Amino acid sequence: QVQLVESGGGLVQAGDSLRLSCAASGRTFTGYVMGWFRQAPGKEREFVSAIRWSGGSTYYADSVKGRFTISRDNAKNTVYLQMNSLKPEDTAVYYCATMRGRYSPASYSPDDYDYWGQGTQVTVSS
């Protein structure tokens, strides 16, 4: 059974940084894409960033490019999202997820991700 557990959220001020972690277990993740999504109240879930577990190719939404960095630690089966220069509009629940299909092309659509964590709240005050 695949399990994804996020941690690292919190309340910060604009301009601060946070690092989110997603600990993955339950199968091998080699070849899969791991993604971060976020959902603000009243809004749809949106893509933030993704990384291919093997090879390390990375993908970012335009809104976070240059501020957020995704990485992974193979030994710990953990994916990280380093978030710098946070803005109030980054406030949301952040979810990690794993894409359906090994070696599938990376997708920005949440519909293409089949396992999800429980989410971690990030609140950025102005």
Side-chain angles (χ1 to χ4, degrees):
Q1 180 75 5
V2 174
Q3 282 196 314
L4 304 175
V5 180
E6 302 100 333
S7 60
L11 171 63
V12 297
Q13 294 188 328
D16 285 350
S17 299
L18 276 176
R19 189 177 80 156
L20 305 183
S21 299
C22 173
S25 63
R27 72 170 184 209
T28 179
F29 292 93
T30 302
Y32 286 91
V33 170
M34 303 291 293
W36 284 98
F37 289 78
R38 65 187 181 188
Q39 188 165 21
K43 294 190 176 181
E44 292 188 352
R45 192 166 297 191
E46 65 171 358
F47 173 83
V48 175
S49 182
I51 187 167
R52 187 169 297 279
W53 203 275
S54 48
S57 297
T58 58
Y59 312 85
Y60 295 96
D62 288 343
S63 58
V64 306
K65 208 170 287 184
R67 299 188 298 124
F68 291 10
T69 303
I70 192 170
S71 62
R72 87 268 192 238
D73 184 327
N74 290 346
K76 295 183 178 179
N77 256 19
T78 300
V79 175
Y80 302 100
L81 186 68
Q82 177 67 42
M83 306 186 296
N84 298 331
S85 303
L86 283 161
K87 305 175 181 180
E89 51 263 44
D90 294 318
T91 295
V93 177
Y94 283 70
Y95 299 90
C96 69
T98 180
M99 250 193 83
R100 188 176 294 115
R102 204 172 183 183
Y103 301 113
S104 296
S107 170
Y108 288 26
S109 170
D111 294 338
D112 292 324
Y113 291 74
D114 53 1
Y115 291 101
W116 294 80
Q118 82 287 352
T120 185
Q121 176 71 46
V122 172
T123 304
V124 185
S125 64
S126 55

